[in-house]
Amino acid sequence: KCGSYWEIPDNGMLNVNPSLYKLSTPVDQLDHFLSHDWQTSRWLKYLALLVLFNSRPAAIATFVVSVSVGVVYSVLGLRGGIQLTLFA
């Protein structure tokens, strides 16, 4: 279930599962630190993560596809764009 990781827990961090806690290990540094509050909806948190971590790949993919389509149009001598009919 998408967004279920951001549901509000029953007892907060006071009730930590010992078997899960054993899986953690100390680190010297963090690549990313994510802080949050319980007032923001999980969907806004999810959207913020998408923007933060996917903006660059999405922009690069958009650029590559746009240039590729432009090259194809130029090579084939197409004009006026693609006529797309969804419902006939």
Side-chain angles (χ1 to χ4, degrees):
K1 176 174 145 181
C2 182
S4 63
Y5 295 108
W6 294 288
E7 288 182 6
I8 298 174
D10 305 336
N11 300 319
M13 291 302 293
L14 300 176
N15 185 16
V16 176
N17 183 340
S19 63
L20 292 178
Y21 185 76
K22 288 181 187 178
L23 298 175
S24 65
T25 58
V27 296
D28 294 327
Q29 68 181 38
L30 300 174
D31 293 331
H32 302 283
F33 178 76
L34 303 176
S35 181
H36 66 92
D37 61 54
W38 294 114
Q39 302 302 318
T40 307
S41 75
R42 71 180 85 159
W43 296 110
L44 287 177
K45 293 174 192 172
Y46 183 68
L47 180 62
L49 290 172
L50 286 177
V51 169
L52 180 65
F53 292 108
N54 293 328
S55 293
R56 183 174 293 158
I60 291 170
T62 300
F63 177 76
V64 169
V65 169
S66 297
V67 169
S68 300
V69 169
V71 168
V72 169
Y73 269 52
S74 176
V75 168
L76 297 178
L78 298 175
R79 292 185 181 171
I82 296 174
Q83 300 290 328
L84 179 63
T85 305
L86 296 177
F87 303 101

